[in-house]
Amino acid sequence: MDMNRRQFFKACASGLGGSSLAMLGFSPQPVLAETREFKLARATETRNTCPYCSVGCGILMYGLGDKAKNVAAEIIHIEGDPDHPVNRGTLCPKGAGLLDFIHSENRLKYPEYRGPGEKEWKRISWDEALTKVAKLMKADRDANFIAKTADGKTVNRWLTTGMLAASASSNEAGYITHKVVRPMGMLVFDNQARV
Ligand code: SF4
């Protein structure tokens, strides 16, 4: 490797400094660990699941804010959950970028509705959104439910509405989703995690 005189002295000085500090007991490793501790010391740790794909990696989210009404909580750090059986603390690049996803200005945080013929999406409450979905489902089921086939076999099918559940659903959430949609006759049902 080519090195000029200035670079040579710089390398020697940093090498000497590093080894001398290590000999005096100042190994850089604990120092780095302390920096991390300090960053997360006052944070609240919350376990969650990466929302992106069907692997369903476990994550630890660290937030600041004591949950008082006048304090806006903020997520400051996310990392893989070392105790999670799926990923054992690892995350792929998508999962590792979750902090940017959370703070993105484009992130949708509430239901929106665009009526027939309208150009703009309008924010609506969860109550309005769920009521609207329930009414549309009922109207569609009433209009298209098939109780029997042409030759008289009972089938109780509803084929014109489908359900796509989230990839981060747990087994329990998947089970409950089945229990909700199957008794209504819905056959078109999928989940990114393939429940
Ligand atoms: S971290 Fe990557 S592999 Fe894991 S669930 Fe998220 S997107 Fe999928």
Side-chain angles (χ1 to χ4, degrees), residues 50 52-57 90-92 94-96:
C50 172
Y52 279 128
C53 90
S54 55
V55 175
C57 297
T90 60
L91 289 177
C92 80
K94 269 175 86 176

Side-chain angles (χ1 to χ4, degrees), residues 54 88 97 137 140 152 177 182-183 189 193-194:
S54 55
R88 299 280 184 213
M137 283 175 72
D140 185 68
T177 312
R182 292 292 191 224
F189 171 40
R194 306 283 176 255

Side-chain angles (χ1 to χ4, degrees), residues 164-194:
L164 180 63
S167 64
S169 299
S170 61
N171 283 348
E172 292 74 16
Y175 177 81
I176 291 167
T177 312
H178 256 281
K179 288 289 173 194
V180 170
V181 301
R182 292 292 191 224
M184 291 193 283
M186 193 183 286
L187 294 190
V188 185
F189 171 40
D190 202 357
N191 181 302
Q192 202 188 351
R194 306 283 176 255

